[in-house]
Amino acid sequence: GAGVSQTPSNKVTEKGKYVELRCDPISGHTALYWYRQSLGQGPEFLIYFQGTGAADDSGLPNDRFFAVRPEGSVSTLKIQRTERGDSAVYLCASSLTPGSSYGYTFGSGTRLTVV
Amino acid sequence: AQKITQTQPGMFVQEKEAVTLDCTYDTSDQSYGLFWYKQPSSGEMIFLIYQGSYDEQNATEGRYSLNFQKARKSANLVISASQLGDSAMYFCAMESGTASKLTFGTGTRLQVTL
């Protein structure tokens, strides 16, 4: 596609439930990133994929968070046993190569609200 | 550890005037890249400009320029001839060393007035 697509754009879930957030990167972009942006803050890094593998998952806050990218394209961020503190905007970005000076292209994000 | 500091939570500028948004960074790496992003109310992060640590000239992209002062570890964004559509949050970010990830500041909310 022309840009990075994230679905759903909004998700409301009950505490304790499981959620999946989807990211469809720009075609041909090998690097894919997930960030979390809490209210009034800048985005914080969660995980980075190069191809199918997670090259850096140091930003995942705990083992309730998991992400996959099985075919090196679409990625899914999975959150188990959601907590109210997980409420945030989850941003996905892709780049042609890691560290591209052309910048990372971000999607519009998924706003997750845990009630 | 890498850190980005943006000390201006909010800024006002009149239409057609220039404005400078401050950004200082901290890293022990010799190789790094600095980015500025614009985030309108729609939420998307829009890439504006990039400066590499070894670039000798300040980056420019249309009305955007980056005032890079390496010794002071600052990378201020200058927007010339402000437009109403420039009203948004602006984030400074850094990619440092071999880490392929961005560290963001807390952002500056810019409001352009008539």
Side-chain angles (χ1 to χ4, degrees), chain A residues 1 3-7 22-27 32 73-75 92 94:
Chain A
V4 177
S5 175
Q6 290 188 248
T7 55
R22 176 188 167 105
C23 173
D24 198 343
I26 291 175
S27 179
L32 184 147
S73 177
V74 171
S75 176
C92 177
S94 69

Side-chain angles (χ1 to χ4, degrees), chain A residues 99-102, chain B residues 25 29-36 47 49-60 66-70 74-75 93-95:
Chain A
S100 170
S101 61
Y102 293 100
Chain B
Y25 60 91
D29 293 310
Q30 296 300 308
S31 176
Y32 51 89
L34 296 156
F35 300 79
W36 277 92
F47 168 67
I49 196 166
Y50 167 84
Q51 179 86 40
S53 58
Y54 295 118
D55 295 340
E56 295 188 351
Q57 291 194 333
N58 286 344
T60 61
L66 199 151
N67 184 1
F68 181 46
Q69 298 188 39
K70 197 169 183 176
S74 74
M94 175 172 63
E95 181 186 67

